[in-house]
């Protein structure tokens, strides 16, 4: 497992500082730890003719142990976070592998390993209202969203500075050097998403540097704007703009506007050239929410983002991202919170998306796709099983002239136990 030398040295230095000085009351008092249990069943049926396998079907148990310390006293406070991840195979076979839940065996790639895991450490330094983290990171920024849609989360290694020095302004910047994918226990160089009809030129090697900066300013309780920059060395650079606004309409009603624009360009010969615009408007009343979304891709390629991560797009959903070359897509969504009718903890989401105009190259007919998703979730509100969550996720995808036709079901049982 490759580790960045600078990050490792800083982790060792911060640990030595903590061990060689008297323990700070805040370092211990403000610490917290939890254990999340995540039981995950995944079933994806491949419906198109000539599919390489009939289905991907696996069942696994995940254990996610998280620890966050407080900070030592002084002008610069020092702390240490840790995350321990373990995935255990409950059911799989070579003809049903590939769900993304389990790590593949190196000698027999069609076979899932019985278990896999990792331990991640993060040193943190705090001065005033700014915090620098070095080590294992899971960024949640528009330019890079770490993926947590399977048994274990995707993690990165590098450094990230978060600053809240100015009221209303959040500033993040840093560099990532390695990625550990959600079904792996090994760090590796980062790549670019190339699936579907994106027409992004593949490269034989990965990148060992993703640089990023993100500014988010909260103008009022109802209006936030942001700018983000991301650069995957030798692949692409990207600028993003976003706006979120909530308009109260009285009597439990509101209108939320979510606008996003990104410009991605080539760096190093990957031929990336894309402009992505997205808008989502959601009208909420009582326990209901009705949403309408539109997304448009333009340029010589589809949208670019780090391989395995989530894309900050309004039409990035359970299976598809609707981000192929020249694709136009619409979304209609409905949410209902059953707490409004006396059943707290029960929620429903359903949506339908349709995309067309996908540029597949000279002489080929434009591609089309649609996806239908339904999520039903329930979290127990009281009693000995309080906070036990159950979620069923169902999706159907159909494509024309490209891609795969899929029927998918995910069943997730989760429980987080606070340790202290």
């Amino acid at each position: 497992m490759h580790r960045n030398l600078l990050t490792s040295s800083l982790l060792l230095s911060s640990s030595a500082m903590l061990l060689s000085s008297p323990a700070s009351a805040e370092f211990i008092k403000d610490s917290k730890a939890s254990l999340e249990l995540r039981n995950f069943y995944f079933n994806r049926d491949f419906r198109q003719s000539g599919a390489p396998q009939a289905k991907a079907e696996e069942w696994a148990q995940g254990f996610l142990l998280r620890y966050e310390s407080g900070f030592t006293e002084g002008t610069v406070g020092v702390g240490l976070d840790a995350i321990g991840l373990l995935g255990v195979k409950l059911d799989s076979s070579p003809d049903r592998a590939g769900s993304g839940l389990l790590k593949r065996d190196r000698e027999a790639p069609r076979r899932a390993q019985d278990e896999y895991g990792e331990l991640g450490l993060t040193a943190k330094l705090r001065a005033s209202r700014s915090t620098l983290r070095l080590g294992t990171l899971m960024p949640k920024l528009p330019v890079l969203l770490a993926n947590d849609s399977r048994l274990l989360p995707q993690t990165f290694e590098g450094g990230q500075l978060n600053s809240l020095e100015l009221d209303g302004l959040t500033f993040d910047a840093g560099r990532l050097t390695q990625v550990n994918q959600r079904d792996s226990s090994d760090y590796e160089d980062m790549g670019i998403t190339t699936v579907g009809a994106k027409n992004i030129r593949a490269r034989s090697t990965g990148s060992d540097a993703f640089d990023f900066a993100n500014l988010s300013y909260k103008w009022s309780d109802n209006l936030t704007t942001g700018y983000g920059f991301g650069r995957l060395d030798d692949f692409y650079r990207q600028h993003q703009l976003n706006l979120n606004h909530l308009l109260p309409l009285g009597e439990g009603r509101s209108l939320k506007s979510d606008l996003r624009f990104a410009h991605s360009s080539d760096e190093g010969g990957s031929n990336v050239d894309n402009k992505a615009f997205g808008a989502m408007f959601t009208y909420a009343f009582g326990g209901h929410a009705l949403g309408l979304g539109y997304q448009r891709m333009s340029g010589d390629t589809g949208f670019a983002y780090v391989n395995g991560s989530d894309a900050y797009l309004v039409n990035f959903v359970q299976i598809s991202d609707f981000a192929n070359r020249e694709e136009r897509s619409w979304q209609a969504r409905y949410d209902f919170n059953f707490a409004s009718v006396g059943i707290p903890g029960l929620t429903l989401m359903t949506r339908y998306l349709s995309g067309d105009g996908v540029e597949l190259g000279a002489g080929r007919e434009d591609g089309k796709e649609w996806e239908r998703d339904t999520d039903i979730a329930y979290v127990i509100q009281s009693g000995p099983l309080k906070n036990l969550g159950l979620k069923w996720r169902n999706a159907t995808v159909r494509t024309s002239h490209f891609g795969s036709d899929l029927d998918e079901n995910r069943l997730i049982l989760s429980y987080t136990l606070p340790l202290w």
Side-chain angles (χ1 to χ4, degrees):
M1 183 183 298
H2 177 269
R3 293 283 182 174
N4 179 271
L5 181 59
L6 175 60
T7 301
S8 301
S9 299
L10 287 166
L11 282 168
L12 290 172
S13 298
S14 61
S15 299
M17 289 173 61
L18 293 172
L19 292 172
S20 62
S21 61
S24 166
E26 285 74 15
F27 178 86
I28 299 173
K29 182 182 67 175
D30 295 340
S31 68
K32 57 183 178 181
S34 65
L35 175 64
E36 180 184 353
L37 307 176
R38 188 180 294 180
N39 190 279
F40 207 124
Y41 169 76
F42 183 103
N43 180 301
R44 175 178 286 180
D45 239 341
F46 295 94
R47 310 297 293 180
Q48 77 274 17
S49 60
Q53 65 185 81
K55 62 181 177 180
E57 183 182 32
E58 294 180 306
W59 180 30
Q61 176 66 49
F63 301 87
L64 298 84
L65 179 64
R66 298 181 175 91
Y67 168 78
E68 296 180 24
S69 78
F71 290 89
T72 59
E73 296 178 347
T75 304
V76 178
V78 179
L80 186 67
D81 295 344
I83 183 168
L85 305 173
L86 175 65
V88 179
K89 178 177 71 177
L90 298 179
D91 181 62
S92 178
S93 66
D95 62 323
R96 294 184 284 112
S99 69
L101 293 186
L102 296 165
K103 182 177 180 178
R104 304 286 191 94
D105 191 290
R106 289 184 182 276
E107 297 181 358
R110 296 295 303 166
R111 185 177 299 277
Q113 293 187 359
D114 291 338
E115 60 182 44
Y116 70 107
E118 67 169 301
L119 172 65
L121 299 175
T122 308
K124 52 188 182 181
L125 306 172
R126 184 180 67 184
S128 184
R129 297 172 63 189
S130 297
T131 303
L132 174 66
R133 290 179 169 84
L134 301 160
T136 300
L137 302 171
M138 287 177 280
K140 290 294 183 183
L141 299 169
V143 292
L144 185 64
L145 288 163
N147 185 299
D148 192 16
S149 64
R150 292 294 196 275
L151 188 70
L152 302 179
Q154 178 191 45
T155 60
F156 293 84
E157 189 163 90
Q160 179 177 351
L161 173 68
N162 172 258
S163 177
L164 305 172
E165 298 296 338
L166 300 177
D167 290 342
L169 179 66
T170 301
F171 173 70
D172 288 275
R175 165 172 281 204
L176 305 174
T177 57
Q178 297 271 277
V179 62
N180 190 351
Q181 301 293 0
R182 60 196 182 188
D183 57 352
S184 174
S185 58
D186 301 312
Y187 278 89
E188 59 189 32
D189 288 345
M190 292 167 282
I192 191 172
T193 293
T194 57
V195 298
K198 299 181 187 310
N199 295 320
I200 296 174
R201 185 180 299 125
R203 295 177 60 86
S204 60
T205 58
S207 174
D208 60 2
F210 181 81
D211 299 308
F212 63 92
N214 193 82
L215 291 164
S216 177
Y217 189 74
K218 188 173 183 179
W219 300 88
S220 68
D221 289 341
N222 298 328
L223 176 62
T224 302
T225 58
Y227 164 76
F229 171 77
R231 173 183 171 271
L232 184 62
D233 189 34
D234 286 334
F235 282 91
Y236 72 87
R237 59 178 59 216
Q238 187 175 90
H239 300 271
Q240 291 194 9
L241 296 171
N242 56 79
L243 179 149
N244 284 276
H245 182 256
L246 182 66
L247 177 64
L249 299 174
E251 299 179 356
R253 296 176 294 118
S254 66
L255 177 64
K256 180 181 179 181
S257 302
D258 183 353
L259 306 178
R260 308 177 188 182
F261 174 77
H263 180 210
S264 308
S265 57
D266 162 62
E267 180 177 293
S270 67
N271 82 317
V272 171
D273 174 41
N274 174 266
K275 293 183 178 68
F277 171 76
M280 187 80 183
F281 302 97
T282 305
Y283 174 63
F285 57 101
H288 308 270
L290 297 172
L292 289 175
Y294 174 73
Q295 183 170 288
R296 178 72 166 96
M297 299 290 134
S298 60
D300 293 336
T301 70
F303 187 73
Y305 54 104
V306 174
N307 189 34
S309 67
D310 291 342
Y312 190 66
L313 300 169
V314 296
N315 284 353
F316 181 93
V317 288
Q318 182 167 328
I319 296 177
S320 183
D321 54 18
F322 293 85
N324 298 291
R325 181 182 176 188
E326 296 294 335
E327 185 167 13
R328 303 176 300 267
S329 57
W330 294 87
Q331 175 182 172
R333 172 171 171 159
Y334 172 71
D335 291 78
F336 183 64
N337 189 335
F338 285 83
S340 61
V341 292
I343 312 177
L346 181 63
T347 57
L348 165 72
M349 184 283 297
T350 187
R351 62 191 167 205
Y352 177 82
L353 300 96
S354 178
D356 60 25
V358 179
E359 176 61 52
L360 299 177
R364 297 186 62 187
E365 190 173 347
D366 287 351
K368 299 179 180 180
E369 62 179 327
W370 62 263
E371 178 169 340
R372 181 179 60 243
D373 301 330
T374 300
D375 286 9
I376 300 176
Y378 181 66
V379 178
I380 297 176
Q381 302 294 294
S382 60
L385 296 179
K386 182 180 179 180
N387 296 326
L388 178 68
L390 176 64
K391 177 179 285 190
W392 171 52
R393 308 193 70 190
N394 172 265
T396 300
V397 172
R398 294 294 183 268
T399 63
S400 299
H401 314 302
F402 80 102
S404 301
D405 296 342
L406 309 170
D407 291 341
E408 184 178 282
N409 287 281
R410 308 179 189 183
L411 190 61
I412 308 161
L413 190 66
S414 62
Y415 179 72
T416 300
L417 174 67
L419 300 178
W420 67 80

